[in-house]
Every structure is written in C-alpha cells, then in structure tokens.
Amino acid sequence: MLIQTPDWVKHAVFYQIFPDRFAQSKQPHKRLLKNASWQDWHEMPTLQGYKGGDLWGVTEQLDYLQNLGITAIYFTPIFQSASNHRYHTHDYYQVDPLLGGNSAFKELLDACHERDMKVVLDGVFNHSSRGFFFFHDVLENAQHSPWVDWFKIQDWPLHPYDENFPANYGCWAGIRALPEFNHDNPEVREYIMEIAEYWMKFGIDGWRLDVPFEVKTPGFWQEFRDRVKAINPEAYIVGEVWGDSRQWLDGTQFDGVMNYLFAGPTIAFAASDRIVPQQVKGPSYEAYPSLSATEYAEKMQQLLQLYPWEIQLTQLNLLASHDTARLMSIADGDRQSVKLATLLLLTFPGAPSIYYGDEVGLPGGLDPDSRRGFPLETHWERDILECHRQLIALRHTHPALRTGTYRVLYAEAGIYVFARILENEEIVVAINTETTPANVAVFTNDLKSQPNQVLYGDGIARWHSVGESIQIKLSLPERSGCIFGI
Amino acid sequence: MLIQTPDWVKHAVFYQIFPDRFAQSKQPHKRLLKNASWQDWHEMPTLQGYKGGDLWGVTEQLDYLQNLGITAIYFTPIFQSASNHRYHTHDYYQVDPLLGGNSAFKELLDACHERDMKVVLDGVFNHSSRGFFFFHDVLENAQHSPWVDWFKIQDWPLHPYDENFPANYGCWAGIRALPEFNHDNPEVREYIMEIAEYWMKFGIDGWRLDVPFEVKTPGFWQEFRDRVKAINPEAYIVGEVWGDSRQWLDGTQFDGVMNYLFAGPTIAFAASDRIVPQQVKGPSYEAYPSLSATEYAEKMQQLLQLYPWEIQLTQLNLLASHDTARLMSIADGDRQSVKLATLLLLTFPGAPSIYYGDEVGLPGGLDPDSRRGFPLETHWERDILECHRQLIALRHTHPALRTGTYRVLYAEAGIYVFARILENEEIVVAINTETTPANVAVFTNDLKSQPNQVLYGDGIARWHSVGESIQIKLSLPERSGCIFGI
C-alpha cells in the first residue's frame, strides 16, 4: 500500500508544552478561581498541586514561539483532570477550567492557525481517572451500574483508594487512579472515536496518543486513523511508543511515534560520559551507556531502515519530554552536550520537538522535576536559546534538512559526519563530541557538490580531489557541531 | 415591598417527573449504551442502579400529559450524576447521558414550549458528589488542590469511601457521597449563580431548589433570585422547605416552597384512620395523626395566613413526591382517600403538582419504593385517572379555583365546605370524609350567588333563605367530594 503522512509535519518544528508550567496569563480573564494560591512557579515541582499555567498564557507567548521558529505545538493533556499533568482524564469534552476551559482553547487554536501554527493534543484513551463519570458510576453503584462493562472489573467490591485491598479493576501500571477502559466493548470504542472526532471538528491538527500499545483490540487504531483522517486528511497521528514501532507504523495506524529510538542514542553520543546514570534510569530509552560515533551511526542507520521513509519524515523526534529528565540535567549541566544534541535533532529527518524550556537551558531531573515552571528571562541560558533559534531557522531555510536523504559520511571515535541531500541541495553536518579540536579527512563520492559554506558553527571544510576520490578536510573545534552548505 | 411572583404559576398544573422512572423512549436514538441491561422496569426499585427512563421518553409522552391537563413539568435532577435519583451532581452543565444528554433536553424543552408547557429543573446547590470535578481534585491532591476552599474540609486525610474513619469534610446529612459546598467562598457563590444563569438562558422556566435552607450565606438566595429574574422575570423559583418558610417567602428569595404544610394535613384529613403510620414516618410533614374537618380547617387557615397572598398563589402544592410515600400506599390502597385529597389539591390556591404515576393510582411506600417505573396502561386505575382529568379540567375552566379567595364555610367532624371566590365567580367545594352519607346545613352570608350546579361529584346543594341568613343544604355521599358552581 501507498503510505501517506501529513506533509506539514515534514516541515514542522514542534514545541511540547506542559500546560500547567509554561505560562500563566498576565491579562485579566474570567476564572473560576479568582484568588488561587498556586504553588510557587519557581519552586521545585511536586507530584500534587498546580502552578497555574493556562492556555491564555500560551496565547500570550505565541510571538515568542513564532520568533523561535516553532510551527506546531504538542500539548500534553489539556482536558479536565485532577492532576497537574492531566493524564487522569475526568472529562474528555472539557478543557480544564484551570487552563481556561474550552473557550480559552478555542481562542488559542484560532490564534495559532492565524499564524499558520498547528496544534496537536494528547489523547489518553487507554485509561481514565477515578473521578471519570462512567467509572465513578461503577464506584457508586457497583454491580448495578450500567457502565460496568466499560472497564476491566475483576471482582467486587472495588477499592479505588484503599491500598490495603486489591483494586479489583484493571488499572494502568497498577495505579488505581487510572482505571483502564475495556476497548473490546464496542460502546467504549465508539465513545473514544467520537471524542477524537469531536476535537478534530473543533479544529485541532492531530492527536498524540498516550500508551497506545496498551490497546490490544484489533482494528482499534486503524479505525481511529480512518475516522480522524476522514475529517482532516492532513491530521497528524503520533503514538507514544518508545521502542520498535513497526507494528503501528504500517501506514494504517500512526504517522509516527515519539522517537525515543532517536533520543536515547543521541543523548548517549552527545553527552557521552557526562551522563548522570540515575537521570536516564526508568524511562524506556537507551540514553546510557555512552556511544561512540561509530555506534551512533549504526543506531541511526538501523533506525532509518526500520520504517518507510514517508513515516521517517513524520516521526516526532525529541531529546526530552515530560516523561524523561531534561538533557541539561542528564548531562550534569554541560551546555555543549545540549547544543550538540540539539544540532543532531534539528538536522534529522522527521519533525523535531522541543520540550518547553529546553531552549533556554532549563534543568530538570526525572518527573516531577522535569516539569518546572518556565524560567524568568533573567535565568535564560542565552547561548542555548541562540543555538536553538539558529538551528531552527536553518532547518526552515534548507529543505534538505527536512526532507533530504540522510547519508553517513564518517563516524569514528567522537567524530560524526553526515549529509542531507535533496535534489541539488547538499548539506554536510559534522559533529566533534571530543574535548579536543579535530581534523579529519572524509572521503566521499556521494555528493555532487562541495558544501563548504559555514551555515552554523566554527568549523572549516576544505574539499580536495585525491585521485578519483573526493576528500573533505574538516577542522572542528572541540565539542562542537558545524553545518556546511553550498 | 411589592411582592411579585410569576403569573403563569398561578394558573399552572405541575407534573413531577423522576426521569429514570417515567418513560423510556421507544424511538431509536444515538446512545452511549446500545445494549444496556437496565433493571426491570416493573420490579421494585432499589437504591442503586437504573431502570433507564430518558428525556426522549418524556417527549413522547407529552400528548398524554397535555391531555391530562398538565401545563408545567418539574423534573427531579437531570444533570449528570452517578445515582438513579441524580441528587449527587457530577456535572452541572451536562444533562445525564443516560437521559439523552443536553441535546435530548433541548428537544424536550422546545417541544414543551411549543405546547405552552413550562419546565422547571431541580437545582442541587448545597452539595455535589464525590466524583464532582472540584471535589475529586481535593480527593486526588489533598492540601495541594486549589479547590480546597470550595468545600468544608475539616481535617486530613479525607475518607470519601471508608466508613471506618471520619469523612473529614462537611457532607449533607452525614452522607459522604454528598460533600457540601462552602457557599461563603465568593468563587463558589459565583459558580452556582452562573449555573443558574446558564440553564435559564438555555430556556428553562425556573428552578426547584433542593434543601436551600442549608445554605446560610447571607444574601445568597436573594442574589440567586435577582440573577435568575434578570434573565426571565417570569421564572419560577420554588424551594424545598418543609415547614414554616416565611424566612424565604419574603418576596426577595423564593416564589413559593414545596407545600408540605398543605400535603401533611390534607392526607391526615382525607385518609384519616386509613393511614399506615410507618409510611409517613421520616419525611418532615404531619400526615399523621388523622385530622377532623375542624382541625383541618384550622390548619389551612393558618397556612393561608402564613404568607402573602401573592406567594400563596405560587406555592407548589402536592400530596406526594420522591421524598414521601405515595398517598395510595399511605392510605393502604384506599382509592377514595386518593380522590378526596386530589380534590382538595386541585381546589387549593397555589399550583398543584402531581407526582408522576399518582394519577393512575401507582402505589409506592417510602424511598426507594416511591420511585417505581410508570405502570403499563393495563395496570392503570382508570377511575383515579378520570378523577384527575376532571379536576384538572375544572381548575383550568374556573379562574376562581386558581386565584379566587379561599373561605371556609363549614368544618365539623368529617365534613368540610369552603368557597373559592373571584369577582362574580363563586365556587363551593364540599367534602365528606365519613363512611356514611351526610346531610348538612351550612349558613353563610359570604356569597353573592348561590352555586348549585354540580361541577364534580354526586352531591346536591339546595339554597334557602332563613330569616336574614342564607343556608345551603348539602347532601353528600359517603367519602366523596363535590364542587358546585353557578
């Protein structure tokens, strides 16, 4: 079959927003809480409680995001939920009142679309919450509830809050706060499909799907795709699958996955022995142990062979998310690790996604620390922001960086060189992860041109003919990356 | 101050519907539950679980209601709730999906208005439910929830489900399923006001307020009235207050209350020694011990003096509700008790309200038995239905029965005679609750006319002049009532 993925994603730069922590509106708005005592924005996050970010605040920051070069936002959940991360959905049809409700979201969506920015929402369809109406009805009415078959009830009575007894219902990762849907029930299936359709018609541009691998019902995600794409054929569907995702990337389900197969090795290569092991333990990606350029090249080539090219171009590439530590903390504060990895992110096929705050060097260990309040401008790491801005701009300027083929030219020790090639546009990207300057000679007959214009970084590329071969002599400062164009 | 109450209520005949039990639609509709296993419609009700009545079903029965003479419906709660009576609100902005959701309600409301029927909803604003989003957030986030001050939290941790520990929050009647709002919080106050406004703008014709006496915040119900009437000056606001309600019937709060001060004595008089005491124990009304006509007259005259006349005309008079046993069961199946009391109901100032099924003689003891499924036509008590139909029609035909003054003419032993007088229209109502026919002579100079036309019943009224006095000689069959007009 012909695999089709949304074209806009191939050219997008995503920004992932954790809504409670990105921005709180400074404008007056009609709010349910008029004198809320939020948790201190700049204090360390805790598992419970809210810092009070909202969607009006995001709207106020659209200039900032647009200046950064962002063209799409992926929001972690925004629906009504009694948790600061909002993965415990209480109502799939209501944007959380703390965030401003459906009307604030509508404003934001319109404002994004006016700027030609896309908006992708997080759909948590494997499980709901203890307060979700239909599950709450089972709690209140037990066997007498008409909604019993919507969940995975194992025995009676249910124990939603008392850890001294078995929960007696299927819940995600054994967490009683997260009762799982019974997707085999056609009513549940239809219920979820209609949620997806509702928000598509509301105007969103796609869905990021939380733990979709947990849904085993045959045809579920195929139907999901069909119904979503029937409303908007250019909708983006991206699954949270951490490992080999071929099962879902056959063209009938998702357009891509959150590309942790990119994130792990890229961190392992860029940060190398600076990695703080406890910051990468837990999340299911291989950011440790460190990788040589040779090993990294192998991983990237394997990854690029794993899925069809049309899928590669709409993968959601990332270095960090709400589910991982931030690279700044993984690399123990080493800014160059962040810059190197960011260069690899922005030059890889597939849509890069920047986790809010990463662009200004916000640190953060594993959850909940990775969900800090967006820092005051006085605390921004200006060089990291500038690095992001430049690399994003380059990606937008050079189609080859977005949809060009990816060819590894050199990978030895800490030096990694590859080309992105689209028709006549050829771009060479070179990384030196070592702590000393590097001078390497790369033999290649793969390129038609001789890119030696420095688009980014402080390296030098000199081209020579050596017999029948073409050779690039690269001078690369320590722990830095360069991009050369024609 | 000039007290103003809605004119339409003075002329209305209400029908109280318990939505899970009145009618289930026979037409196909889009439903979340396609193969619901409802509790058997005709089996005895239980505290938990649903029989599956819905609002589409009500719409299908509007012909029936209109033929009966009903001009207004009071619905017990219809908002999303995990209880069959739906007094445990989960979402004040959603009509329960089992009932058909907001769209089914909109259809019903439009259909009612096309027939010039009014719709009054039940507002449960003292407490919510354990699954109500804002309370659920407190359960999930404890001290960290921004909604803590919306409720009456006393200590931590909360124990919403474990009866072995104190609940640690204020809940109505000590029932942990019903966390009480903190109405002193201006945010809560505003939240509730906006719910009231939302549904007024949606098109409802008024609010019945559940346990409003529990809300002690100064000015709360005054503001409620002001904001509701600002949207519709003819809106009806009726409180659930069982006893002396002068505190709320000063013209600044409610237009009336559920008139249990009428219900209790009327049952005690009409059913007399047929009353099954355990069926009237519990509810806060005095339906026992039995009353003589003399005592009944005194109660009615006290009641009519308790509130301004403008309020009297918009009281919600009733014989039974979801909170009481039905008169048929209170009177141990005695149909004449039902008919006598119904006659008193339909001839009293204020809007009569018929509890669904009472008009066809449905029995039912105290909750949950008083909430049976509406019976099949084969089980209707035809004579009781006919009695309702006639009395309702008479009330609609004769303005004096609605807004005429009420004057007791005679009250001795089991015989009670009164007149309703409006300008030139004078109507005499006579009740003989005794088990033998009665012949009584009533002296009166209060009437300008001599009503002797039998409008209802099988009695005879003969008028005589005796000196300066006028005398009516009434012949009344045993346990029956008569209405005489001019």
Side-chain angles (χ1 to χ4, degrees):
Chain A
M1 68 171 275
L2 180 69
I3 291 179
Q4 274 195 303
T5 59
D7 203 56
W8 65 267
V9 178
K10 302 168 190 168
H11 304 281
V13 176
F14 274 81
Y15 192 78
Q16 179 185 342
I17 290 181
F18 189 92
D20 188 54
R21 306 293 158 76
F22 176 62
Q24 188 173 51
S25 171
K26 296 184 183 67
Q27 305 301 318
H29 292 284
K30 190 166 174 342
R31 295 172 188 273
L32 290 180
L33 286 175
K34 279 147 200 90
N35 299 299
S37 52
W38 303 113
Q39 294 184 338
D40 186 289
W41 189 264
H42 300 291
E43 288 292 315
M44 287 305 96
T46 50
L47 286 172
Q48 290 174 310
Y50 304 84
K51 290 190 186 292
D54 56 48
L55 297 183
W56 298 301
V58 177
T59 303
E60 292 170 16
Q61 293 306 315
L62 289 181
D63 276 348
Y64 168 79
L65 295 179
Q66 203 167 22
N67 288 339
L68 184 58
I70 300 303
T71 64
I73 303 174
Y74 147 41
F75 282 99
T76 59
I78 65 170
F79 301 142
Q80 187 166 294
S81 171
S83 55
N84 55 38
H85 49 69
R86 300 196 169 90
Y87 279 94
H88 301 185
T89 316
H90 184 275
D91 189 331
Y92 289 91
Y93 286 98
Q94 299 300 323
V95 171
D96 198 289
L98 294 183
L99 297 179
N102 290 12
S103 64
F105 179 57
K106 180 71 180 137
E107 271 176 45
L108 169 61
L109 193 60
D110 290 346
C112 286
H113 288 170
E114 271 171 36
R115 295 166 188 257
D116 211 17
M117 288 168 77
K118 307 287 189 183
V119 173
V120 170
L121 292 189
D122 206 324
V124 188
F125 298 133
N126 176 64
H127 45 263
S128 62
S129 72
R130 289 182 277 218
F132 178 58
F133 177 60
F134 308 97
F135 186 73
H136 176 65
D137 195 90
V138 181
L139 291 184
E140 296 295 73
N141 289 288
Q143 295 94 323
H144 304 286
S145 172
W147 310 102
V148 166
D149 290 340
W150 279 41
F151 303 93
K152 299 177 179 172
I153 306 302
Q154 295 149 353
D155 203 354
W156 305 100
L158 305 187
H159 293 289
Y161 286 96
D162 190 345
E163 300 280 342
N164 296 313
F165 297 91
N168 284 336
Y169 54 92
C171 42
W172 187 72
I175 304 168
R176 313 175 182 233
L178 303 176
E180 287 183 313
F181 281 112
N182 170 19
H183 299 86
D184 291 340
N185 180 340
E187 292 167 354
V188 168
R189 182 168 171 154
E190 180 62 24
Y191 178 76
I192 293 171
M193 297 300 159
E194 290 183 9
I195 295 164
E197 291 176 328
Y198 176 85
W199 290 105
M200 286 308 304
K201 289 176 188 163
F202 196 92
I204 68 166
D205 300 291
W207 285 106
R208 179 267 189 189
L209 298 169
D210 189 58
V211 297
F213 47 87
E214 300 285 6
V215 181
K216 314 279 200 278
T217 305
F220 190 93
W221 294 121
Q222 284 84 351
E223 180 179 351
F224 186 92
R225 181 187 185 87
D226 291 345
R227 293 176 69 165
V228 162
K229 300 268 182 176
I231 294 166
N232 180 359
E234 283 289 291
Y236 182 38
I237 301 173
V238 56
E240 182 207 10
V241 187
W242 292 62
D244 181 339
S245 307
R246 281 176 290 181
Q247 178 181 345
W248 295 276
L249 296 179
D250 61 351
T252 70
Q253 297 170 77
F254 309 152
D255 298 308
V257 295
M258 293 188 79
N259 204 351
Y260 288 105
L261 289 181
F262 168 82
T266 301
I267 292 168
F269 171 55
S272 189
D273 52 8
R274 290 153 202 85
I275 292 174
V276 181
Q278 67 262 33
Q279 293 299 351
V280 292
K281 261 184 216 152
S284 308
Y285 68 157
E286 291 182 15
Y288 186 83
S290 66
L291 296 177
S292 70
T294 322
E295 293 163 323
Y296 181 65
E298 199 177 321
K299 295 268 186 196
M300 290 304 102
Q301 282 168 321
Q302 280 169 359
L303 174 57
L304 289 170
Q305 282 158 25
L306 202 55
Y307 316 122
W309 184 244
E310 180 74 8
I311 294 283
Q312 296 288 351
L313 295 178
T314 51
Q315 287 278 80
L316 194 70
N317 301 331
L318 71 170
L319 297 172
S321 74
H322 61 293
D323 282 329
T324 69
R326 292 175 183 274
L327 179 49
M328 183 61 95
S329 293
I330 291 173
D332 204 16
D334 180 60
R335 306 147 94 96
Q336 286 311 116
S337 296
V338 172
K339 291 182 194 173
L340 288 172
T342 303
L343 189 152
L344 290 166
L345 173 70
L346 268 300
T347 55
F348 201 72
S353 178
I354 293 155
Y355 184 47
Y356 83 99
D358 274 2
E359 80 278 15
V360 293
L362 181 65
L366 286 170
D367 171 24
D369 191 34
S370 61
R371 304 165 181 187
R372 296 188 193 178
F374 193 89
L376 288 177
E377 208 165 330
T378 48
H379 293 107
W380 292 359
E381 304 283 356
R382 291 281 166 187
D383 54 331
I384 289 178
L385 180 57
E386 198 43 46
C387 155
H388 278 82
R389 224 190 282 278
Q390 281 184 37
L391 289 167
I392 294 170
L394 270 184
R395 187 174 175 96
H396 288 313
T397 311
H398 298 281
L401 288 177
R402 306 195 298 269
T403 58
T405 54
Y406 187 98
R407 193 163 304 166
V408 177
L409 304 180
Y410 183 92
E412 287 285 333
I415 318 295
Y416 183 59
V417 185
F418 64 94
R420 298 294 309 276
I421 303 163
L422 183 71
E423 296 166 6
N424 291 324
E425 189 181 34
E426 296 177 325
I427 289 175
V428 170
V429 180
I431 308 274
N432 172 16
T433 66
E434 294 178 1
T435 52
T436 51
N439 290 291
V440 297
V442 175
F443 289 86
T444 176
N445 288 328
D446 292 345
L447 303 186
K448 290 181 282 191
S449 63
Q450 300 190 343
N452 61 359
Q453 288 270 93
V454 176
L455 301 178
Y456 178 87
D458 298 317
I460 302 167
R462 292 194 196 83
W463 292 74
H464 305 275
S465 294
V466 182
E468 302 240 316
S469 290
I470 308 290
Q471 193 192 56
I472 330 170
K473 285 199 167 171
L474 292 166
S475 293
L476 303 169
E478 74 274 13
R479 291 197 63 64
S480 73
C482 289
I483 303 177
F484 303 101
I486 42 179
Chain B
M1 67 171 276
L2 180 68
I3 292 178
Q4 273 195 303
T5 59
D7 203 53
W8 65 268
V9 177
K10 301 168 190 168
H11 303 281
V13 177
F14 275 81
Y15 191 78
Q16 179 185 344
I17 290 181
F18 189 91
D20 188 53
R21 307 290 160 77
F22 177 61
Q24 189 173 49
S25 171
K26 295 183 184 69
Q27 305 299 318
H29 292 284
K30 192 168 173 339
R31 296 170 187 274
L32 291 181
L33 288 174
K34 280 149 200 87
N35 300 300
S37 52
W38 303 114
Q39 295 184 337
D40 187 288
W41 189 266
H42 301 289
E43 288 292 313
M44 289 303 96
T46 51
L47 287 171
Q48 290 175 310
Y50 304 84
K51 290 188 185 292
D54 56 46
L55 297 184
W56 298 301
V58 178
T59 304
E60 292 170 16
Q61 294 305 316
L62 290 180
D63 276 347
Y64 168 79
L65 294 178
Q66 203 167 21
N67 287 340
L68 183 59
I70 299 303
T71 64
I73 303 175
Y74 147 41
F75 282 99
T76 58
I78 64 170
F79 302 143
Q80 187 167 293
S81 170
S83 55
N84 56 38
H85 50 68
R86 300 195 169 90
Y87 278 94
H88 302 184
T89 315
H90 184 274
D91 189 331
Y92 289 92
Y93 286 99
Q94 300 300 322
V95 171
D96 198 288
L98 294 184
L99 296 179
N102 289 13
S103 64
F105 179 57
K106 181 69 178 140
E107 271 176 45
L108 169 61
L109 194 59
D110 290 346
C112 286
H113 287 169
E114 271 171 35
R115 294 167 189 257
D116 211 18
M117 287 168 77
K118 307 285 189 183
V119 174
V120 170
L121 292 188
D122 205 323
V124 187
F125 298 132
N126 176 63
H127 45 263
S128 62
S129 73
R130 288 181 280 216
F132 178 59
F133 176 61
F134 308 97
F135 186 74
H136 176 67
D137 194 273
V138 181
L139 292 184
E140 297 294 76
N141 290 287
Q143 295 94 324
H144 305 285
S145 171
W147 310 103
V148 166
D149 290 338
W150 278 41
F151 302 94
K152 299 177 179 173
I153 307 301
Q154 295 150 352
D155 203 353
W156 304 100
L158 305 188
H159 292 290
Y161 286 96
D162 190 343
E163 300 280 342
N164 296 312
F165 296 93
N168 284 335
Y169 53 92
C171 42
W172 187 72
I175 303 168
R176 323 180 172 225
L178 303 176
E180 287 183 313
F181 282 111
N182 170 19
H183 298 86
D184 290 340
N185 180 338
E187 293 168 353
V188 169
R189 182 167 171 154
E190 180 62 22
Y191 178 75
I192 293 172
M193 298 300 160
E194 290 183 9
I195 296 164
E197 290 176 327
Y198 176 84
W199 290 106
M200 286 307 304
K201 288 175 188 163
F202 196 91
I204 68 166
D205 301 289
W207 285 106
R208 180 266 190 190
L209 298 168
D210 190 59
V211 297
F213 46 88
E214 301 284 6
V215 181
K216 313 279 201 278
T217 304
F220 190 93
W221 294 121
Q222 283 84 352
E223 180 178 352
F224 186 93
R225 179 187 186 87
D226 290 346
R227 292 175 69 164
V228 163
K229 300 268 180 177
I231 294 166
N232 179 359
E234 282 289 292
Y236 182 39
I237 301 173
V238 56
E240 183 208 7
V241 187
W242 292 63
D244 181 340
S245 307
R246 281 176 290 181
Q247 179 181 344
W248 297 274
L249 295 180
D250 61 350
T252 70
Q253 298 170 77
F254 310 152
D255 297 309
V257 294
M258 294 188 78
N259 204 350
Y260 289 105
L261 290 182
F262 167 81
T266 300
I267 292 167
F269 172 53
S272 188
D273 51 10
R274 289 154 202 85
I275 293 173
V276 181
Q278 67 262 34
Q279 293 298 351
V280 293
K281 261 184 217 153
S284 308
Y285 67 157
E286 292 181 14
Y288 187 82
S290 65
L291 296 177
S292 69
T294 321
E295 292 162 326
Y296 181 65
E298 199 176 320
K299 295 267 186 195
M300 292 303 103
Q301 281 169 320
Q302 281 170 0
L303 174 57
L304 288 169
Q305 282 159 26
L306 202 58
Y307 315 124
W309 183 243
E310 181 75 7
I311 293 282
Q312 296 288 351
L313 293 178
T314 52
Q315 287 277 80
L316 194 70
N317 301 332
L318 72 169
L319 297 173
S321 75
H322 60 294
D323 283 328
T324 69
R326 292 176 184 273
L327 179 49
M328 183 61 94
S329 292
I330 291 172
D332 204 15
D334 180 62
R335 306 148 93 96
Q336 286 311 115
S337 294
V338 173
K339 291 181 192 172
L340 288 172
T342 302
L343 189 153
L344 290 166
L345 173 70
L346 268 301
T347 55
F348 201 74
S353 178
I354 293 156
Y355 183 47
Y356 83 100
D358 274 2
E359 80 278 17
V360 293
L362 182 64
L366 286 169
D367 171 24
D369 192 34
S370 61
R371 302 164 182 188
R372 297 188 192 179
F374 193 87
L376 289 176
E377 209 166 329
T378 47
H379 292 107
W380 292 0
E381 306 282 355
R382 291 282 165 186
D383 55 329
I384 290 177
L385 180 57
E386 199 41 46
C387 155
H388 278 82
R389 224 190 282 278
Q390 280 184 37
L391 289 167
I392 293 169
L394 270 183
R395 187 174 175 97
H396 287 314
T397 311
H398 298 281
L401 288 178
R402 307 195 298 269
T403 58
T405 54
Y406 187 98
R407 193 164 305 164
V408 177
L409 304 179
Y410 183 92
E412 287 286 331
I415 318 295
Y416 183 60
V417 185
F418 63 95
R420 297 294 310 276
I421 302 162
L422 183 71
E423 297 167 3
N424 290 324
E425 188 182 34
E426 295 177 325
I427 287 176
V428 170
V429 180
I431 308 273
N432 173 16
T433 66
E434 295 178 2
T435 51
T436 51
N439 288 293
V440 296
V442 175
F443 289 86
T444 177
N445 288 329
D446 292 344
L447 303 187
K448 290 181 283 189
S449 64
Q450 300 190 343
N452 61 359
Q453 287 271 93
V454 177
L455 301 178
Y456 177 86
D458 297 317
I460 300 166
R462 290 192 198 84
W463 293 75
H464 304 276
S465 296
V466 180
E468 301 237 322
S469 293
I470 306 289
Q471 193 191 57
I472 329 171
K473 284 198 166 171
L474 292 165
S475 294
L476 303 168
E478 74 273 14
R479 291 198 61 67
S480 74
C482 289
I483 303 177
F484 303 100
I486 41 179

